[in-house]
């Protein structure tokens, strides 16, 4: 037998021996612990996420229904007294509740304003946004959305519910992160898994559609999705849908919410003919055009509000002025005895959707005619002097404009449900037109009739899919209506609408991201030749700041002062060859400079003028480092006894070698550490914070300052990424974009046969894609700048003694914090990348 065989047999014997030492009781205990961990870590948390979000959703739905019912009830009572009182009550209800919603969000959390899906989309791609996933934001989102929708604004709740689900998932992750018995909770990827499940739960709560919710969450928030998280999202969404359906059954007992669909339709199996498929295709084409126009109008309105001088003079950048003005406009337009009588302004979105999906006709007088209770809404009241085509066309146009404006005011607002209603109105309009053109069906007498409700379903799916650039709406439609018969027309129209809108405009969520200037790499539109012709050498920055192996501490210090915003530096062999050896984060270079030079260079003037704030910050950092370590009491006591046996002189030497005096005046930055986490000493006594060098040490440091700065740096003491991501010359923009999106890169070095020739970051890619829908991908004009991680320097403003950093434009008033780079594993937010 070969020696290798003997070794294998020996290893098997050792494993058998280890297993044989485990008793049956220990085996059962270990398996029981594994089962408990599995149930708690996966099943319990996902189910708890679904249940909590569903309970919040049900409570908000009940409150919204109460406010909307009170709106109509008080209007009827005021109308019996006077029309003017009814008008005042109708408008005041919308204005007051909208004003309270905006004020509450402004006071509690400004981050609750808007949809929430664009922010979640940015967060899930690696960027950290402050205060967007906090309890205050959750409370502000719930109260603000309830007041805004209860007041009667034409907004939806799906986007805010996605944001709420993500917040609940984040809070659960923070609670479980305190459990240190398992590495499962301390895994960084776990938070993103929970975040993805939270997005699916938010959608499941809106329409009680768990399957479509998971698919929609993936499409709307992720570019690339890990299939291993699939079942967690389905579990959470299913639990949420169950709670939502059961609660809906008990709250509205007249409808069996656990049996029938949310908007149950009753189309026959042969509800469409083959001859109608081109009509559905045309409906999808029109929906795609109108969806792209809606996105364009919304973006122009947002830009008008931020740039127009007349608007700023009138509203003076007041968060409340334009919001209250739009609430007043909505109240005036939807007043039931005014213009609202021509387009059913009295109805809510829920009632309107039920009318649109109804399997009857409005335009004919035969047996398929809708009951008078429905026709009264769309014919101007009991008189019936308004044409249904006028009502549907007016409804489509007014809400097309109102929704585009109202989703941009300072209240929580979603776009999915309003888009659904607008698309259903357009589909119903085409369906009623088909009934007029073909009153006996497209095959004549005896053939299947035309169902206008089917056209409404197809139009709602096509328009919503076009606006959001998603295909999972087709699955939501099937769960919403409880039927699979319209799936083929829905898919045909939706694919056409998606193709048209994707070619013309980005999705509504990416458009909002662009308007708010969030740091996010947009998706590539289909069929753009320019993304294949533009190469990386046209984008990259060639004048790169780099570190060499034979660099001195003086040169490294000048580089750190020259480029305070750069977060990482490439390491090359020398100035001539520039063979790329790796990359190093700025915090490690700063640590190296502090350890070998700056500690010895502190003079008595700086030491004497240390402020109380610096002392407090140093104590806090040292205390935090001490609190992270959890040695047993036995080891602490043994170390204490050992240290007691060490002579005082030796103990002082140990303290001097291990402890470094840290000052905030050196190189400031949110990612700088006083010591490298890879080379952290085991014990740092708290009293060492107040250590002061002696006068002899200070005089020696002054004499040897030049000698210390002229020494070559030692890169062996710091953590170096020996394999940074590299691109080769000739790589197309399409390939670069795909790699950045798939791997979550913030920057990549460009090499030619191993030689560093440039670097490309997120800013270069965003600049190249800024006008891709109009002019295609265009190589940006390169300013005189140097970049390594999506940041640039204006070299004309550089002063070697004092560098004034350029101002960073705010992202719509919200702050975006910058995380430490993780060597290509996650996106970082450089200050100038906004």
């Amino acid at each position: 037998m070969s020696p290798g065989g003997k070794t294998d047999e020996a290893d098997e014997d050792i494993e058998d021996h280890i297993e044989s030492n485990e008793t049956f009781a220990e085996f059962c205990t270990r398996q029981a612990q594994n089962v408990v961990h599995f149930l708690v870590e996966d099943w319990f948390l996902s189910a708890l996420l679904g249940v909590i979000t569903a309970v919040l959703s049900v409570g908000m739905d009940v409150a919204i229904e109460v406010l909307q019912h009170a709106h109509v009830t008080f209007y009827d009572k005021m109308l019996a007294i006077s029309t003017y009182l009814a008008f005042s009550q109708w408008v005041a209800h919308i204005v007051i509740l909208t004003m309270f919603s905006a004020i509450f969000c402004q006071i509690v959390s400004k981050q609750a304003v808007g949809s929430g899906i664009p922010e979640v989309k940015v967060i899930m791609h690696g960027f950290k946004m402050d205060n967007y996933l906090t309890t205050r934001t959750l409370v502000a989102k719930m109260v603000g959305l309830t007041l805004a929708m209860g007041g009667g604004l034409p907004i939806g709740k799906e986007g805010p519910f996605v944001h709420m689900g993500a917040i609940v998932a984040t809070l659960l992750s923070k609670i479980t992160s305190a459990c240190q018995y398992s590495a499962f909770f301390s895994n960084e990827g776990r938070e993103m898994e929970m975040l993805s499940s939270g997005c699916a739960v938010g959608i499941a709560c809106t329409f009680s559609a768990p399957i479509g919710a998971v698919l929609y969450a993936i499409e709307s928030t992720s570019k690339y999705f890990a299939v291993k998280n699939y079942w967690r999202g389905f579990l959470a969404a299913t639990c949420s849908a169950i709670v939502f359906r059961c609660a809906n059954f008990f709250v509205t007992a007249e409808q069996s919410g656990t049996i029938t669909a949310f908007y149950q339709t009753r189309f026959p199996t042969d509800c469409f003919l083959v001859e109608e498929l081109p009509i559905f295709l045309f409906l999808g084409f029109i929906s795609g055009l109108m969806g792209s126009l809606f996105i364009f109008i919304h973006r122009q309105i947002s830009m008008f509000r931020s740039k127009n001088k007349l608007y700023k003079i009138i509203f003076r950048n007041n968060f409340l002025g334009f919001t209250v003005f739009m609430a007043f406009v909505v109240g005036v337009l939807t007043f039931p005895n005014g213009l609202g009588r021509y387009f059913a302004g009295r109805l809510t979105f829920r009632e309107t959707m039920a009318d649109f999906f109804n399997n009857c006709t409005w335009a004919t007088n035969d047996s398929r005619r809708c009951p008078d209770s429905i026709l009264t809404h769309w014919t101007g009241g009991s008189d019936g002097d308004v044409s249904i085509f006028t009502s549907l066309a007016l409804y489509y146009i007014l809400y097309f404009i109102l929704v585009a404006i109202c989703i941009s005011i300072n209240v929580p607002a979603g776009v999915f449900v309003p888009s659904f209603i607008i698309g259903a109105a357009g589909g119903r309009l085409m369906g009623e037109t088909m009934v007029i053109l073909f009153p006996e069906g497209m095959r004549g007498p005896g053939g299947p009739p035309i169902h206008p409700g089917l056209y409404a379903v197809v139009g709602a799916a096509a328009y919503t899919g076009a606006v959001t650039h998603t295909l999972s709406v087709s699955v939501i439609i099937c769960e919403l209506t409880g039927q699979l018969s319209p799936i083929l027309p829905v898919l045909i129209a939706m694919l056409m609408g998606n193709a048209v809108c994707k070619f013309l405009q980005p999705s509504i969520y990416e458009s909002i991201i662009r308007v708010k200037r969030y740091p996010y790499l947009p998706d590539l539109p289909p069929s753009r030749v320019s993304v294949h012709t533009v190469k990386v050498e046209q984008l990259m920055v060639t004048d790169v700041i780099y570190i060499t192996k034979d660099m001195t501490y003086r040169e490294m210090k000048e580089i750190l002062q020259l480029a305070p915003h750069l977060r990482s530096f490439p390491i090359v062999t020398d100035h001539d060859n520039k063979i790329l050896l790796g990359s190093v984060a700025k915090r490690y270079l700063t640590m190296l400079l502090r350890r070998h030079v700056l500690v010895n260079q502190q003079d008595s003037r700086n030491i004497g003028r240390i402020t109380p704030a610096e002392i407090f910050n140093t104590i806090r950092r040292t205390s935090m480092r001490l609190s992270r370590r959890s040695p047993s009491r036995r080891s602490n006591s043994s170390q204490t006894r050992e240290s007691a046996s060490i002579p005082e002189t030796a103990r002082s030497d140990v303290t001097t070698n291990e402890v470094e005096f840290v000052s905030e005046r050196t190189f400031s930055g949110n990612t700088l550490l006083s010591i490298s986490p890879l080379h952290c000493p085991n014990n740092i006594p708290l009293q060492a914070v107040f250590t002061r060098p002696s006068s002899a040490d200070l005089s020696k440091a002054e004499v040897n300052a030049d000698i210390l700065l002229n020494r070559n740096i030692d890169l062996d003491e710091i953590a170096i990424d020996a394999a940074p991501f590299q691109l080769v010359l000739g790589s197309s923009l399409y390939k670069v974009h795909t790699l950045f999106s798939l791997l979550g890169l913030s920057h990549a070095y460009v090499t030619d046969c191993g030689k560093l020739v440039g670097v490309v970051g997120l800013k270069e890619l965003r600049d190249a894609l800024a006008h891709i829908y109009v002019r295609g991908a265009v190589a940006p004009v390169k300013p005189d700048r140097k970049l390594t991680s999506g940041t640039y320097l204006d070299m004309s403003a550089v002063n070697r003694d004092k560098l004034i950093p350029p101002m960073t434009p705010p992202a719509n008033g919200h702050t975006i914090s910058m995380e430490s780079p993780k060597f290509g594993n996650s996106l970082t937010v450089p200050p100038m990348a906004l």
Side-chain angles (χ1 to χ4, degrees), residues 29 49 111 136 285 321 325 432 522 584 593 619 669 681 698 727 777 834:
T29 303
L49 171 63
Q111 289 75 15
R136 292 174 61 90
F285 179 79
F325 172 75
E432 296 293 344
V584 60
L593 189 65
I619 295 174
L698 290 175
L727 298 170
L834 301 180

mmCIF file of all heavy atoms in Angstrom, residues 29 49 111 136 285 321 325 432 522 584 593 619 669 681 698 727 777 834:
data_model
loop_
_atom_site.group_PDB
_atom_site.id
_atom_site.type_symbol
_atom_site.label_atom_id
_atom_site.label_comp_id
_atom_site.label_asym_id
_atom_site.label_seq_id
_atom_site.Cartn_x
_atom_site.Cartn_y
_atom_site.Cartn_z
ATOM 1 N N THR A 29 -28.014 16.351 21.526
ATOM 2 C CA THR A 29 -27.953 17.764 21.911
ATOM 3 C C THR A 29 -27.446 18.626 20.770
ATOM 4 O O THR A 29 -27.986 19.702 20.495
ATOM 5 C CB THR A 29 -27.051 17.929 23.144
ATOM 6 O OG1 THR A 29 -27.551 17.113 24.208
ATOM 7 C CG2 THR A 29 -27.007 19.383 23.585
ATOM 8 N N LEU A 49 -40.776 38.729 10.044
ATOM 9 C CA LEU A 49 -40.743 39.892 9.155
ATOM 10 C C LEU A 49 -42.068 40.049 8.419
ATOM 11 O O LEU A 49 -42.629 41.149 8.331
ATOM 12 C CB LEU A 49 -39.584 39.744 8.173
ATOM 13 C CG LEU A 49 -39.513 40.748 7.016
ATOM 14 C CD1 LEU A 49 -39.328 42.155 7.551
ATOM 15 C CD2 LEU A 49 -38.378 40.383 6.066
ATOM 16 N N GLN A 111 -36.477 61.768 5.556
ATOM 17 C CA GLN A 111 -36.219 60.659 4.645
ATOM 18 C C GLN A 111 -37.468 59.860 4.311
ATOM 19 O O GLN A 111 -37.415 58.993 3.435
ATOM 20 C CB GLN A 111 -35.164 59.726 5.247
ATOM 21 C CG GLN A 111 -33.766 60.290 5.292
ATOM 22 C CD GLN A 111 -33.558 61.332 6.371
ATOM 23 O OE1 GLN A 111 -34.389 61.441 7.286
ATOM 24 N NE2 GLN A 111 -32.476 62.091 6.292
ATOM 25 N N ARG A 136 -37.470 56.063 13.298
ATOM 26 C CA ARG A 136 -38.111 57.369 13.065
ATOM 27 C C ARG A 136 -38.658 57.450 11.646
ATOM 28 O O ARG A 136 -39.762 57.969 11.416
ATOM 29 C CB ARG A 136 -37.101 58.497 13.316
ATOM 30 C CG ARG A 136 -36.687 58.641 14.766
ATOM 31 C CD ARG A 136 -35.576 59.689 14.890
ATOM 32 N NE ARG A 136 -36.027 60.987 14.443
ATOM 33 C CZ ARG A 136 -36.590 61.899 15.218
ATOM 34 N NH1 ARG A 136 -36.772 61.634 16.508
ATOM 35 N NH2 ARG A 136 -36.958 63.068 14.731
ATOM 36 N N PHE A 285 -48.112 49.091 -27.239
ATOM 37 C CA PHE A 285 -47.281 50.132 -27.859
ATOM 38 C C PHE A 285 -47.675 51.510 -27.345
ATOM 39 O O PHE A 285 -46.821 52.329 -26.990
ATOM 40 C CB PHE A 285 -47.425 50.048 -29.380
ATOM 41 C CG PHE A 285 -46.641 51.083 -30.119
ATOM 42 C CD1 PHE A 285 -45.275 50.927 -30.313
ATOM 43 C CD2 PHE A 285 -47.265 52.225 -30.618
ATOM 44 C CE1 PHE A 285 -44.548 51.900 -30.997
ATOM 45 C CE2 PHE A 285 -46.544 53.189 -31.297
ATOM 46 C CZ PHE A 285 -45.178 53.027 -31.495
ATOM 47 N N GLY A 321 -45.157 74.919 1.039
ATOM 48 C CA GLY A 321 -45.921 75.764 0.132
ATOM 49 C C GLY A 321 -46.466 75.017 -1.070
ATOM 50 O O GLY A 321 -47.688 75.007 -1.325
ATOM 51 N N PHE A 325 -50.317 73.734 -1.992
ATOM 52 C CA PHE A 325 -50.893 74.233 -3.245
ATOM 53 C C PHE A 325 -51.411 73.091 -4.109
ATOM 54 O O PHE A 325 -52.520 73.169 -4.673
ATOM 55 C CB PHE A 325 -49.843 75.039 -4.000
ATOM 56 C CG PHE A 325 -50.259 75.433 -5.384
ATOM 57 C CD1 PHE A 325 -51.182 76.457 -5.586
ATOM 58 C CD2 PHE A 325 -49.737 74.784 -6.499
ATOM 59 C CE1 PHE A 325 -51.577 76.816 -6.869
ATOM 60 C CE2 PHE A 325 -50.125 75.132 -7.776
ATOM 61 C CZ PHE A 325 -51.052 76.160 -7.969
ATOM 62 N N GLU A 432 -63.985 49.961 -24.640
ATOM 63 C CA GLU A 432 -65.304 50.504 -24.980
ATOM 64 C C GLU A 432 -65.347 50.951 -26.441
ATOM 65 O O GLU A 432 -66.397 50.848 -27.102
ATOM 66 C CB GLU A 432 -65.640 51.678 -24.058
ATOM 67 C CG GLU A 432 -65.787 51.311 -22.591
ATOM 68 C CD GLU A 432 -67.002 50.428 -22.332
ATOM 69 O OE1 GLU A 432 -67.887 50.336 -23.203
ATOM 70 O OE2 GLU A 432 -67.049 49.805 -21.249
ATOM 71 N N PRO A 522 -26.472 53.587 -13.428
ATOM 72 C CA PRO A 522 -27.743 53.262 -14.088
ATOM 73 C C PRO A 522 -27.617 52.046 -14.990
ATOM 74 O O PRO A 522 -26.515 51.661 -15.408
ATOM 75 C CB PRO A 522 -28.051 54.540 -14.882
ATOM 76 C CG PRO A 522 -26.712 55.147 -15.146
ATOM 77 C CD PRO A 522 -25.867 54.828 -13.953
ATOM 78 N N VAL A 584 -3.636 49.759 -1.822
ATOM 79 C CA VAL A 584 -3.664 49.899 -0.378
ATOM 80 C C VAL A 584 -4.620 51.022 -0.021
ATOM 81 O O VAL A 584 -4.697 52.040 -0.718
ATOM 82 C CB VAL A 584 -2.243 50.182 0.164
ATOM 83 C CG1 VAL A 584 -1.669 51.453 -0.428
ATOM 84 C CG2 VAL A 584 -2.245 50.261 1.691
ATOM 85 N N LEU A 593 2.325 55.998 8.538
ATOM 86 C CA LEU A 593 2.974 57.287 8.747
ATOM 87 C C LEU A 593 2.937 57.695 10.211
ATOM 88 O O LEU A 593 3.913 58.226 10.755
ATOM 89 C CB LEU A 593 2.295 58.339 7.870
ATOM 90 C CG LEU A 593 2.965 59.714 7.797
ATOM 91 C CD1 LEU A 593 4.323 59.597 7.144
ATOM 92 C CD2 LEU A 593 2.079 60.687 7.022
ATOM 93 N N ILE A 619 -10.216 58.867 24.292
ATOM 94 C CA ILE A 619 -10.729 57.954 25.320
ATOM 95 C C ILE A 619 -11.855 57.097 24.753
ATOM 96 O O ILE A 619 -11.938 55.897 24.995
ATOM 97 C CB ILE A 619 -11.212 58.760 26.541
ATOM 98 C CG1 ILE A 619 -10.038 59.474 27.219
ATOM 99 C CG2 ILE A 619 -11.920 57.858 27.541
ATOM 100 C CD1 ILE A 619 -10.467 60.387 28.344
ATOM 101 N N GLY A 669 -10.569 61.880 8.753
ATOM 102 C CA GLY A 669 -11.341 61.118 7.775
ATOM 103 C C GLY A 669 -12.162 60.071 8.482
ATOM 104 O O GLY A 669 -11.777 59.565 9.534
ATOM 105 N N PRO A 681 -2.823 45.496 18.768
ATOM 106 C CA PRO A 681 -2.286 44.903 19.991
ATOM 107 C C PRO A 681 -3.393 44.338 20.860
ATOM 108 O O PRO A 681 -4.535 44.759 20.779
ATOM 109 C CB PRO A 681 -1.579 46.082 20.685
ATOM 110 C CG PRO A 681 -2.255 47.291 20.141
ATOM 111 C CD PRO A 681 -2.634 46.958 18.727
ATOM 112 N N LEU A 698 11.514 64.563 22.699
ATOM 113 C CA LEU A 698 11.111 65.612 21.773
ATOM 114 C C LEU A 698 12.306 66.235 21.077
ATOM 115 O O LEU A 698 12.278 66.475 19.866
ATOM 116 C CB LEU A 698 10.319 66.689 22.512
ATOM 117 C CG LEU A 698 8.915 66.287 22.992
ATOM 118 C CD1 LEU A 698 8.309 67.417 23.816
ATOM 119 C CD2 LEU A 698 8.028 65.949 21.815
ATOM 120 N N LEU A 727 -8.649 46.008 -15.536
ATOM 121 C CA LEU A 727 -9.189 45.966 -16.888
ATOM 122 C C LEU A 727 -8.045 46.120 -17.873
ATOM 123 O O LEU A 727 -7.026 46.742 -17.558
ATOM 124 C CB LEU A 727 -10.212 47.082 -17.105
ATOM 125 C CG LEU A 727 -11.461 47.048 -16.219
ATOM 126 C CD1 LEU A 727 -12.249 48.347 -16.379
ATOM 127 C CD2 LEU A 727 -12.338 45.859 -16.565
ATOM 128 N N ALA A 777 -23.895 56.683 -25.655
ATOM 129 C CA ALA A 777 -22.750 56.748 -24.745
ATOM 130 C C ALA A 777 -21.675 57.637 -25.348
ATOM 131 O O ALA A 777 -21.242 57.435 -26.484
ATOM 132 C CB ALA A 777 -22.208 55.353 -24.473
ATOM 133 N N LEU A 834 -21.004 62.166 -6.306
ATOM 134 C CA LEU A 834 -22.426 62.445 -6.300
ATOM 135 C C LEU A 834 -22.834 63.247 -7.523
ATOM 136 O O LEU A 834 -23.990 63.479 -7.695
ATOM 137 C CB LEU A 834 -22.802 63.202 -5.024
ATOM 138 C CG LEU A 834 -22.471 62.479 -3.727
ATOM 139 C CD1 LEU A 834 -22.886 63.346 -2.558
ATOM 140 C CD2 LEU A 834 -23.147 61.135 -3.665
#
